[in-house]
Amino acid sequence: MSEVELSCLAYVKMYLHASLFPRSSVNGLLLSSSPEEGAVCVTDCVPLLHSHLPLAMISQLALTQVDVWCAQTQQRIVGYYQANACLSNSSPTPGAFKMAEKIVEHYSNAVLLMIEGRKMSSGYRVPPIVVYEHKESRWTLKDKHTIMLRQWEETRSIANQLLKSRDHTLLVDFDSHLDDITKDWTNQKLNAKIMELASPANGNM
């Protein structure tokens, strides 16, 4: 059973995406810049949509653009994440399964991550996520002992800092980019801010 490791950068951006659109379902792609062998190391994510989740055409456009960008930046798509608008429901929707299936076609160890909206509070002591893996042609819940989020307390603190300072509004998903193409869906500005907070110089690593 392969392990899944989430980086601070990937987790914080997923959390901020869900926080920025609390009344909407949101989704995105999980990326890796690590070797294909061994654990699935999620090093980054691309927030995709907050208003067009059921639209296959928009999803396909986003997938294609992200795939091209990944080829240019030596990354690959290794999974899919989603947070449902209904906070009490963290089960994958048919659309979530469909997107994840597309990713499995190109990366057999792909994972499907769901954000548990009802557990997204600043004081919650464990990551509000559940992860599914693709085994024997179906998606099953992954053993929590095989999911790692290093420096969880520090990662949680960084997410809370960015919410408190309202820097989460820097996040741009693909939806927002379609509304205004000058907005950067690769989120280089937000990435730099997260990595700055996570640097050893700030005592967070």
Side-chain angles (χ1 to χ4, degrees):
M1 186 179 293
S2 60
E3 294 181 331
V4 174
E5 182 174 339
L6 289 175
S7 71
C8 172
L9 180 66
Y11 174 81
V12 169
K13 286 167 71 177
M14 286 188 287
Y15 187 89
L16 296 183
H17 192 201
S19 299
L20 189 59
F21 303 102
R23 295 177 181 82
S24 304
S25 294
V26 302
N27 69 356
L29 299 172
L30 306 174
L31 310 182
S32 179
S33 55
S34 301
E36 287 195 34
E37 300 79 19
V40 179
C41 296
V42 180
T43 51
D44 198 358
C45 73
V46 174
L48 290 184
L49 310 174
H50 64 265
S51 64
H52 300 113
L53 267 65
L55 298 183
M57 185 176 68
I58 299 292
S59 298
Q60 188 58 53
L61 173 64
L63 263 173
T64 301
Q65 287 213 22
V66 174
D67 201 39
V68 170
W69 179 67
C70 283
Q72 296 170 345
T73 56
Q74 289 75 55
Q75 299 182 92
R76 67 182 183 283
I77 300 170
V78 296
Y80 171 85
Y81 77 83
Q82 183 168 304
N84 294 331
C86 178
L87 298 184
S88 61
N89 177 17
S90 59
S91 298
T93 61
F97 283 130
K98 192 170 183 179
M99 286 285 284
E101 289 287 348
K102 283 184 176 291
I103 297 166
V104 165
E105 290 174 9
H106 302 282
Y107 180 65
S108 61
N109 289 329
V111 294
L112 166 57
L113 185 152
M114 297 298 297
I115 298 173
E116 299 182 282
R118 63 187 175 85
K119 296 181 180 179
M120 280 184 58
S121 66
S122 60
Y124 205 72
R125 307 307 299 179
V126 295
I129 57 174
V130 289
V131 178
Y132 294 78
E133 61 184 339
H134 198 256
K135 294 174 63 177
E136 299 174 356
S137 302
R138 57 194 294 265
W139 291 94
T140 58
L141 268 175
K142 198 162 179 56
D143 183 346
K144 288 194 174 184
H145 293 96
T146 64
I147 303 166
M148 297 184 294
L149 209 166
R150 298 190 188 279
Q151 293 91 29
W152 162 241
E153 290 298 328
E154 292 81 359
T155 296
R156 185 168 67 94
S157 174
I158 289 168
N160 291 335
Q161 285 181 62
L162 291 169
L163 281 176
K164 190 174 181 179
S165 64
R166 296 198 55 77
D167 282 323
H168 68 298
T169 58
L170 292 173
L171 184 137
V172 176
D173 64 10
F174 202 79
D175 248 344
S176 299
H177 169 75
L178 291 177
D179 290 336
D180 179 355
I181 61 170
T182 65
K183 292 184 176 180
D184 174 24
W185 57 263
T186 69
N187 284 288
Q188 296 306 305
K189 187 174 182 180
L190 179 61
N191 288 358
K193 187 168 284 289
I194 294 170
M195 297 311 293
E196 180 185 353
L197 289 172
S199 69
N202 286 311
N204 285 321
M205 296 294 279

